[in-house]
Amino acid sequence: QFSPTAEVSALVAFDDGSGPALFVGGRCDLAGSAGLSAPNIARWKNNAWSAVGNGLNAQVSALAIHDPGQGPRLVAGGQFTTAGGQPAQRLAVLEGTAWQPLAIGQSAAVQCLLSVPGPAGAALIAGGQFAAANSSGDSDLGLFACPPATILSFPGCFGPKPSLGSQ
């Protein structure tokens, strides 16, 4: 159970080295009947909740398993700007028991993540409300090749954004 105002927005099964578990992301402060501090992400394993690192400072909207070539990692995306107490621009990776910022953060909320294999290694695709996946000002979808840390965007992927004042 979570705090009464909690919102769950992401679920993924992942083995972080201690055995398979369910990772739950969203907007919450507490998990379990004992009120465990679990800022916006928690782990359910062996019928008990546990914290995941030091948590994230705002909502987790997406979770994905991504293998950048050193083995699978849990990646979180959302509205957060710190992960485990470190600055992280809406993307972070769980390294062992600690969150690390992903070098390719975003300017606004990440709402979905997908890891896909490719000829040069796995790529992480993020979608969300960001105005640019790189400095070109392109829209809401970006492809991040990890490694190398190249960023591709999809210009006009969803067409022009409507003006709020137009009819």
Side-chain angles (χ1 to χ4, degrees):
Q1 79 192 47
F2 289 97
S3 56
T5 58
E7 176 184 310
V8 173
S9 52
L11 301 168
V12 70
F14 177 61
D15 185 342
D16 62 0
S18 65
L22 175 66
F23 288 78
V24 179
R27 184 175 41 217
C28 62
D29 294 323
L30 306 172
S33 59
L36 171 76
S37 176
N40 302 301
I41 189 164
R43 176 190 302 110
W44 176 254
K45 182 178 173 190
N46 298 329
N47 294 319
W49 290 105
S50 60
V52 182
N54 290 332
L56 304 136
N57 74 323
Q59 183 170 354
V60 174
S61 302
L63 295 169
I65 309 306
H66 179 65
D67 188 346
Q70 299 90 24
R73 303 286 195 275
L74 178 63
V75 178
Q79 297 176 0
F80 55 88
T81 56
T82 64
Q86 299 182 64
Q89 294 303 307
R90 295 160 188 94
L91 285 168
V93 60
L94 186 63
E95 293 286 350
T97 60
W99 287 104
Q100 300 293 323
L102 211 54
I104 48 175
Q106 290 303 311
S107 60
V110 171
Q111 296 177 324
C112 56
L113 292 169
L114 177 66
S115 180
V116 294
L124 183 64
I125 300 173
Q129 299 171 337
F130 38 91
N134 59 23
S135 60
S136 69
D138 294 326
S139 66
D140 303 323
L141 189 64
L143 173 68
F144 310 101
C146 304
T150 57
I151 301 174
L152 304 173
S153 60
F154 299 89
C157 179
F158 296 104
K161 295 196 179 5
S163 167
L164 293 177
S166 67
Q167 302 243 342

